[in-house]
Amino acid sequence: MACISTLFFLSARVPMQFRVKFWELTACKRKTWLSWSLQRCCSSDTSLSSSDHLSSGLERYRDLQKYFRRRLKDAYHRFSNIPDYSVVSGHHHLYSTEEDGIYRMDKKQSHLEPEQVLNLRQISGELEKTGLENNKRKQRFQWTVQRIRLSPQERHLAASLKCTHTEELRCVVVRLERRRFLPLHPQHVTLTLEKVFSFEWATDEILFYSTLEGLRSSAVFRLDLTSSGSRITSVFEEMQPDVFVEVALTRDRQILTINCNSRTSSEVLLSDIATSNLDPFVVQPRQLNLLYHVEHWRGRLIILANTGLGQEYQVVQAPVSEPSMDSWVSLFAPEPGTTIKDMDVVGDHCVLVARTPVSELALIVVPLIHPKNAYIVQLPSWACAIKTKKPGLADQQNMLEFLISSPVHPPVPYCLHPENGLLLSGTGDGSSPENQADYITTRLEACSQDGTFVPVTLFHTVPVEHLRQAPLLVHVYGAYGRDLNMEFYPEKKVMLEQGWALAYCHVRGGGERGLFWHRQACVGGKRRGVEDLQACLHHLFSLGVSSPSLTALTACSAGAVPVGALCNRHPLLMRAVTLQAPFLDVLGTMEDHSLPLTLEDRDEWGDPVGNPEHRHIITSYCPLHNITPQHYPSMLLTAYSGDNMVPLAGVFKYTEQLKKAVHTHSSMKPKSECKPAPNIALNIQPGANHLGTEDFELMLEEEALKLAFLYMELGLDPPRPPRKRRR
């Protein structure tokens, strides 16, 4: 997959879509994070007490939190067996991650016991004893597996590991030998590499990898495994501080790419694995506002570049021998209003993930031999998120496997055969594992202040005209050109089943309608995202969807900016707000050049130090610097003690100033005129980073607290558990 999302990795205050994943809970596993692939969690015993003294205002929700924790745990286990792409397929074995390491199973002898190839207990050095429960000693492993890469002939395995509750990264290389019969000892760990972010095999003996220092990935190295040991040499180093570097393989495994992306430009280096000369060469030198991503097909480069109309993405091609922009020839440009979100080369076809003018996901298949014969493959109307499978060593290269989902629809597997347009669903009829007939997905558009139409996706169980009394949870992000996260989460499905309506507002600053949608709300246009959110709420209310007294807003990270700004401007539009890892002090953060993301973030927020106009604009909307005595909605702020992207100081300062403003407002009004004071609650999670806790039990506590907060602040009765039938 041409990884467009790479542009926004660590160098952005990203939404927290990489939380504990429901389908891995039975083995206490979790999804990714420092990569975009699956990561596993091997720990389930942690303490809430270490940061309790920093939290405040939570006690009133504890009883209801316990109730929702039980409900959520049941919901997560209910979806523990839905499909994912965590199994890696080699020529001879299937590799999977369990709580204590990586195992493989012989494809031809599946009756044999799986063989362990990597033992996390050995990597950790020793087991940490975390207490007794039911007279059984619980164990905690220090490292979690993030991703696995097999060498071309399956002679070696490389796996990236992350240290639990820290940012420390490690890559281990394992020599794969023939199966060892009892006793089953793990395979031999050949080498351990520190601070490895991305890595790919060029040959069975050569591994390319990039390293991560703090929040920067700028260097690429080459590991050569020899009969006498190993040798590491430097391959590439990026000098620009705002550029993030990673290595990747094209889908056909013929070309290794070194992708050097910033927010505003790209530069890709290629290494032709098919030749003996692996020295990388540049495709197109860096050029301001030029973004591109590279795939390979039959000696030609298939390039996704923003050289189309309005600087949007189109598909071009060039020979590998002459890859520069002068040789680029257009293959396909989407119709106006259709935006390309990602690209894959499958056999002799280019498959594009696209968003249509009505904001639905679709696939566009472009035959590379006859590109004028491109056609569209419609996906189910409820599809909001798509995840493609990275093919294994022995997988077919002429079909595309992928999962589609929505916040309330569990992932459904699909397989596309581009040569004939055949689209097959793993469930036969394309439905989710559970009956979704009662779930309605409605696509709306709200007219913003400047006349721009803003997409809104609404999930509900009854017709829109019957939603006036329904509680409404509104989601928003709107930054860094990233689409609002719309993957499946069991808690969203639970809320829908209990009569909630869920709205997703795709405000400007995100990427839902292309690159221009992001450009519209950068720096001087940041206030547009706030105006868009306000327009979305007004439009929903005008349609008869809920009311301000039954409405709550939720956002993560930089999504807190439009929410916090709207709370300052129009606090009566909502009753409650939940924010996770919230970015609330835009001005103070962008003034502090010692913080890790300040320089890179100038393209997004502006430079208040060197540009007086930027300072004026930021000051006009910054949530922290516009707090005023008035009646605010109740607010639950969740922050993480290990967050190095959003400074905790800004969260503390915002919380204290908001409490003071609420108190001042209450003291200014006669008691007879005072409304009940809003509750401002702060939840500090210990040890977790910007992406939240990796521990399943802690994640349940956090999500249950949010539900308890929403129900109490909106004055809702907790849902009654279903009655058991009498025999």
Side-chain angles (χ1 to χ4, degrees), residues 177-188:
E177 300 174 355
R178 291 185 178 181
R179 179 181 175 91
R180 300 177 179 182
F181 293 90
L182 295 176
L184 290 177
H185 298 298
Q187 302 280 330
H188 176 63

Side-chain angles (χ1 to χ4, degrees), residues 688-709:
N689 61 22
H690 185 67
L691 305 167
T693 179
E694 297 180 358
D695 184 272
F696 175 49
E697 299 297 333
L698 278 182
M699 183 278 297
L700 281 182
E701 295 282 352
E702 182 181 326
E703 295 301 323
L705 177 62
K706 292 177 193 174
L707 286 178
F709 170 84

Side-chain angles (χ1 to χ4, degrees), residues 372-660:
K372 291 184 179 180
N373 295 334
Y375 62 91
I376 296 177
V377 178
Q378 299 292 341
L379 298 176
S381 60
W382 54 262
C384 295
I386 185 168
K387 176 185 176 182
T388 58
K389 179 183 179 182
K390 182 181 178 67
L393 297 178
D395 288 347
Q396 297 183 40
Q397 295 289 331
N398 60 353
M399 67 179 185
L400 180 69
E401 296 180 76
F402 58 95
L403 301 172
I404 60 171
S405 63
S406 85
V408 298
H409 294 82
V412 178
Y414 276 83
C415 179
L416 173 69
H417 295 267
E419 69 278 3
N420 56 17
L422 182 63
L423 182 66
L424 301 176
S425 166
T427 58
D429 60 356
S431 64
S432 297
E434 295 193 355
N435 183 13
Q436 306 292 346
D438 295 332
Y439 293 0
I440 305 171
T441 304
T442 302
R443 313 275 181 176
L444 305 169
E445 285 188 325
C447 186
S448 194
Q449 183 174 310
D450 61 0
T452 300
F453 286 94
V454 182
V456 181
T457 307
L458 182 68
F459 299 97
H460 48 110
T461 56
V462 297
V464 170
E465 57 268 22
H466 296 158
L467 290 175
R468 174 61 72 189
Q469 301 302 319
L472 172 66
L473 183 63
V474 178
H475 305 69
V476 68
Y477 184 62
Y480 300 107
R482 290 186 56 84
D483 291 8
L484 181 58
N485 175 33
M486 298 189 71
E487 293 181 352
F488 174 65
Y489 286 96
E491 55 265 34
K492 306 300 181 186
K493 185 175 173 64
V494 168
M495 296 180 76
L496 198 67
E497 292 170 345
Q498 297 302 326
W500 285 74
L502 306 177
Y504 290 76
C505 302
H506 309 288
V507 303
R508 281 173 286 184
E512 283 85 350
R513 291 201 159 169
L515 297 175
F516 97 96
W517 200 246
H518 174 225
R519 292 192 294 264
Q520 284 268 307
C522 278
V523 191
K526 274 297 173 188
R527 286 170 292 198
R528 292 191 179 113
V530 187
E531 295 166 358
D532 290 354
L533 178 57
Q534 179 183 344
C536 291
L537 289 175
H538 282 306
H539 186 59
L540 288 166
F541 297 152
S542 70
L543 292 175
V545 178
S546 196
S547 62
S549 63
L550 288 172
T551 295
L553 268 60
T554 185
C556 300
S557 193
V561 174
V563 172
L566 188 63
C567 287
N568 289 328
R569 294 183 183 187
H570 301 284
L572 299 182
L573 280 177
M574 75 291 294
R575 182 77 171 268
V577 169
T578 69
L579 300 174
Q580 294 81 50
F583 184 40
L584 295 162
D585 185 9
V586 182
L587 182 60
T589 301
M590 295 308 298
E591 286 179 328
D592 189 349
H593 290 180
S594 68
L595 296 175
L597 295 181
T598 297
L599 294 179
E600 292 117 284
D601 272 358
R602 286 178 176 176
D603 291 329
E604 183 71 23
W605 307 100
D607 178 13
V609 176
N611 190 316
E613 183 181 355
H614 289 180
R615 183 179 186 85
H616 173 74
I617 293 169
I618 294 173
T619 303
S620 71
Y621 68 80
C622 177
L624 174 61
H625 292 270
N626 286 276
I627 294 174
T628 185
Q630 58 181 335
H631 186 81
Y632 278 92
S634 292
M635 196 170 297
L636 171 62
L637 301 101
T638 303
Y640 306 98
S641 62
D643 191 342
N644 58 0
M645 296 188 190
V646 174
L648 273 181
V651 181
F652 287 134
K653 189 182 298 184
Y654 179 87
T655 304
E656 290 305 311
Q657 289 198 21
L658 189 60
K659 288 180 177 179
K660 288 180 181 179

Side-chain angles (χ1 to χ4, degrees), residues 32-69:
T32 170
W33 215 66
L34 283 172
S35 68
W36 298 102
S37 58
L38 288 174
Q39 161 180 325
R40 306 297 184 157
C41 179
C42 308
S43 169
S44 62
D45 185 32
T46 48
S47 172
L48 284 168
S49 62
S50 58
S51 290
D52 278 355
H53 66 286
L54 299 175
S55 301
S56 61
L58 304 179
E59 286 304 317
R60 66 194 312 266
Y61 309 109
R62 291 302 188 194
D63 290 341
L64 195 53
Q65 179 188 16
K66 293 176 183 177
Y67 166 79
F68 279 115
R69 186 188 179 283

Side-chain angles (χ1 to χ4, degrees), residues 130-147:
T130 59
L132 297 174
E133 183 176 316
N134 299 327
N135 297 320
K136 293 182 180 180
R137 188 174 302 281
K138 300 189 74 178
Q139 298 173 336
R140 183 190 223 172
F141 302 108
Q142 182 184 1
W143 296 93
T144 60
V145 178
Q146 290 187 294
R147 60 175 126 177

